[in-house]
Amino acid sequence: MSKERNNYAALACSALLAVSVSTAAFAGDVNKLVEVCSSCHGKDGNSAEADIPNIASYSVEYVTKSLTRYQKKERPCIETEIRSGSKKGSKSDMCKIAAGLSESDIAQLGEFFAGQTFVRTAQATDAEMVKKGKSIHNKKCFTCHAESGSEPSDHSGILAGQKMGYLKQEIKFFKEGKRPISKKMKPKLESLDDAEIEAVIQYYGSIQ
Ligand code: HEC
Ligand code: HEC
């Protein structure tokens, strides 16, 4: 009995040690990586910039899929300015940023952003459009974008409270075939005219 207890104590102790060692290594590396992202996406993955999506709370799966796609240039590589920090004002794009990341970097970044809280952006919307957009969402989008597009475990980005300019741009890319799209989402987007797309974007933008 006492031998068993000792074994247990030793096991618990070594497990604790392993956890603290790996956390220390993890924290050091991930902070450096996150600093790069923060210069555009904000300190905790919530950006103050209208054209930069919030990525806080995104699932590890979605962050991994997105960064891998940028590495392969399967998503458009849009040049944009670094918004804060020592490189403020210089140009970069998501493909260049993702190119330098290892598999382990991506996994750590995924864990970091999955642990942050998504802050919804307050944006001006039109009540009639929002109403129309909500009914479109409830008919055509909710099956894959649950809880008004706020469920990270859908692995489909966060739409509720996301930057409207960003959503508009991505829907355009999907429709033009510039960004890979799920086979089932394509017909749903194609069934909407421009005014309906604007309405559904306003619906997501209105969610607080
Ligand atoms: C120079 C500014 C800039 C930096 C630095 C930057 N991003 Fe981005 N990121 C953007 C912009 C702008 C977009 C949206 C347009 C696009 O696809 O390029 C984006 C899109 C993304 C997306 C896709 C979002 C979605 O909803 O699909 C992810 C994930 C992402 N970034 C993660 C990161 C990570 C992780 C880092 C740090 C390693 C990082 N970004 C650094 C500007 C930046
Ligand atoms: C069959 C499932 C499905 C349906 C239905 C669907 N989507 Fe999606 N949607 C996805 C998936 C999966 C992604 C992630 C795409 C990727 O792999 O990058 C996505 C991504 C998006 C994005 C980009 C999010 C980001 O962060 O970049 C927008 C915007 C979007 N969907 C809008 C819509 C709208 C509007 C509708 C309804 C008209 C809709 N979707 C219906 C599966 C779906």
Side-chain angles (χ1 to χ4, degrees), residues 24-207:
F26 181 83
D29 292 347
V30 82
N31 285 344
K32 255 200 212 144
L33 292 170
V34 168
E35 217 178 283
V36 175
C37 319
S38 303
S39 67
C40 286
H41 289 282
K43 176 166 69 57
D44 52 0
N46 293 296
S47 150
E49 308 286 325
D51 57 335
I52 299 186
N54 289 358
I55 56 172
S57 88
Y58 274 28
S59 66
V60 176
E61 287 84 344
Y62 184 80
V63 170
T64 304
K65 176 170 71 175
S66 306
L67 293 176
T68 310
R69 286 210 174 125
Y70 287 123
Q71 284 184 326
K72 296 184 190 155
K73 301 190 175 173
E74 289 170 359
R75 277 182 69 163
C77 311
I78 310 157
E79 191 174 72
T80 188
E81 253 182 42
I82 296 178
R83 313 301 163 97
S84 68
S86 59
K87 292 187 180 159
K88 184 178 170 177
S90 53
K91 301 255 160 97
S92 191
D93 67 58
M94 277 310 301
C95 302
K96 284 190 190 131
I97 287 155
L101 300 173
S102 69
E103 229 173 273
S104 137
D105 293 342
I106 291 178
Q108 292 185 41
L109 286 164
E111 290 289 346
F112 175 85
F113 288 108
Q116 307 304 308
T117 305
F118 190 97
V119 178
R120 292 174 178 166
T121 308
Q123 296 166 99
T125 51
D126 173 84
E128 273 306 306
M129 290 287 270
V130 168
K131 203 173 142 206
K132 185 173 149 189
K134 183 176 183 178
S135 103
I136 296 170
H137 170 81
N138 289 340
K139 273 192 216 117
K140 301 191 170 173
C141 319
F142 81 99
T143 47
C144 307
H145 297 284
E147 306 295 332
S148 310
S150 65
E151 183 47 62
S153 64
D154 283 341
H155 313 312
S156 307
I158 301 286
L159 310 179
Q162 185 57 276
K163 310 289 165 56
M164 294 197 295
Y166 169 73
L167 295 177
K168 190 168 184 171
Q169 168 183 284
E170 297 306 303
I171 290 177
K172 189 166 168 271
F173 287 154
F174 285 134
K175 289 187 78 174
E176 290 171 347
K178 292 184 178 155
R179 176 175 169 186
I181 190 171
S182 97
K183 269 198 197 98
K184 288 188 185 147
M185 181 163 82
K186 197 166 197 271
K188 307 275 185 204
L189 289 181
E190 280 169 353
S191 73
L192 304 179
D193 64 25
D194 288 353
E196 288 168 325
I197 285 174
E198 180 59 28
V200 82
I201 290 169
Q202 290 219 11
Y203 167 60
Y204 298 130
S206 76
I207 297 166

